[in-house]
């Protein structure tokens, strides 16, 4: 698949897709920090507020600003690829109920 993409797409297009994936994952990471530490673990003191609300919100906002500069086609292909990955992951893990073999030893 990578060989085909490298021969068919321009380097600029490939860079946009890679950047879309990286920025999307970092946005989700900031969201996950907030949900896990602030909501689930209830780290809500002054320090927790800054570490788990303010800083992730700032990070999310900066990345979202950069992310918003992608063109329409990057969003279409990026979200399509994301949906395909989620569906394949759900099928392989039986609805995300089984841990993949590669992660069992961690």
């Amino acid at each position: 698949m990578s060989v085909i993409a490298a021969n068919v797409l321009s380097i600029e297009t490939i860079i946009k897709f890679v950047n879309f994936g990286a920025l999307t994952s970092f946005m989700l990471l900031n969201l996950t920090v907030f949900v896990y530490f602030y909501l689930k673990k209830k780290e809500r003191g002054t320090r927790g507020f800054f570490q788990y609300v303010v800083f992730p919100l700032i990070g999310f906002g900066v990345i979202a600003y950069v992310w918003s500069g992608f063109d329409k086609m990057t969003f279409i292909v990026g979200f399509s690829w994301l949906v395909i990955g989620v569906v394949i992951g759900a099928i392989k893990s039986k609805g995300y109920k089984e841990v993949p073999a590669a992660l069992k030893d961690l």
Side-chain angles (χ1 to χ4, degrees):
M1 181 71 172
S2 298
V3 173
I4 296 170
N7 287 317
V8 174
L9 302 173
S10 70
I11 190 70
E12 291 84 14
T13 302
I14 293 170
I15 289 170
K16 286 180 190 177
F17 295 151
V18 169
N19 287 337
F20 177 87
L23 291 174
T24 302
S25 67
F26 283 119
M27 286 173 61
L28 291 173
L29 175 66
N30 281 297
L31 181 63
T32 302
V33 166
F34 168 73
V35 170
Y36 181 76
F37 287 105
Y38 194 75
L39 298 180
K40 286 190 177 184
K41 296 287 241 174
K42 300 194 187 315
E43 299 278 340
R44 298 194 178 166
T46 303
R47 182 176 180 206
F49 177 74
F50 279 96
Q51 283 184 324
Y52 307 127
V53 177
V54 175
F55 295 142
L57 182 62
I58 291 170
F60 187 92
V62 169
I63 295 168
Y65 175 75
V66 174
W67 191 73
S68 69
F70 289 125
D71 60 357
K72 185 178 176 181
M73 185 55 70
T74 302
F75 283 112
I76 292 170
V77 173
F79 281 119
S80 298
W81 193 255
L82 178 66
V83 168
I84 291 167
V86 169
V87 169
I88 290 172
I91 291 169
K92 291 179 99 175
S93 66
K94 296 184 174 64
Y96 291 104
K97 292 179 183 167
E98 289 185 7
V99 178
L103 298 177
K104 285 184 180 180
D105 295 333
L106 293 179

